[in-house]
Amino acid sequence: MSELERLTPKAAKRGRTLIAALLALPAVLALLAAAPAAAQGATGADHCVVNLVTDEVSCAATQAAAFAEDRAASADAGVLADTTLITLYDRTNYDPAGGTRSFVATDHTCTAAYSPVEFSVDYLDAAGWNNRASSVRTFRQCDIKLWDTVTLSGASSTWIDALANLGTIGWSNRAGSYQIS
Ligand SMILES: [Ca+2]
């Protein structure tokens, strides 16, 4: 249970991205039940891909290997989940050497508006990512907001499109949870 990373698609409740929500919701529920599969240590150069569609968290020694493992898991499940929404980097300047954590869904583009929030990810401590991210990239029109605690509470950052050094806004090694919109 300690390895659990809970994912909640807020957009599903608003019905804004209906197809994405229909695809994502069962995966979220399944992921909640599949906590032991999401195991990954808190130290070392680990790379993980969190897949909303297959419920899998694929981890490997390199970022490329983690994505390859995720693609294989998607193929085995008969789904296509090839859209990376965000990547967190342990190090600054998008340097993957310290470890990465990416969030992948099926063909999803974020809405231009920040409200409603489209995905919320809490308890980064369970994934070994509390107070760890030092740079972040987003894709598919998504932005990310970081929260100080693991429960999407306390202080939060501005919405970030990409930032090579989160320290410039006081958010290096600080985020415990995040939202995507
Ligand atoms: Ca870091």
Side-chain angles (χ1 to χ4, degrees):
M1 193 60 72
S2 65
E3 304 294 345
L4 178 59
E5 178 173 356
R6 292 172 204 160
L7 310 167
T8 306
K10 295 292 176 57
K13 295 169 183 170
R14 307 289 188 88
R16 289 192 55 171
T17 52
L18 184 57
I19 293 174
L22 288 173
L23 288 170
L25 188 54
V28 170
L29 297 175
L31 186 61
L32 287 169
Q40 189 55 225
T43 60
D46 54 304
H47 301 265
C48 292
V49 175
V50 181
N51 192 311
L52 264 184
V53 183
T54 64
D55 313 336
E56 300 273 348
V57 179
S58 301
C59 298
T62 68
Q63 195 175 14
F67 273 102
E69 191 171 304
D70 172 68
R71 282 192 296 275
S74 295
D76 286 347
V79 299
L80 180 63
D82 61 347
T83 304
T84 303
L85 301 184
I86 65 103
T87 296
L88 304 174
Y89 299 82
D90 187 330
R91 298 187 180 181
T92 57
N93 298 316
Y94 320 119
D95 178 0
T100 64
R101 191 167 183 87
S102 296
F103 186 85
V104 174
T106 291
D107 191 24
H108 181 86
T109 297
C110 288
T111 60
Y114 291 135
S115 180
V117 168
E118 290 173 63
F119 298 97
S120 293
V121 178
D122 55 7
Y123 294 99
L124 285 176
D125 53 339
W129 274 85
N130 190 29
N131 301 333
R132 181 171 172 185
S134 292
S135 57
V136 62
R137 266 188 175 141
T138 67
F139 308 91
R140 300 295 288 253
Q141 200 171 293
C142 297
D143 287 342
I144 186 170
K145 177 194 283 286
L146 308 175
W147 291 83
D148 206 358
T149 73
V150 298
T151 56
L152 298 166
S153 61
S156 61
S157 73
T158 185
W159 286 100
I160 301 164
D161 178 49
L163 195 54
N165 183 359
L166 288 169
T168 61
I169 59 169
W171 278 87
S172 186
N173 299 329
R174 182 173 175 184
S177 54
Y178 65 86
Q179 292 176 309
I180 300 172
S181 192

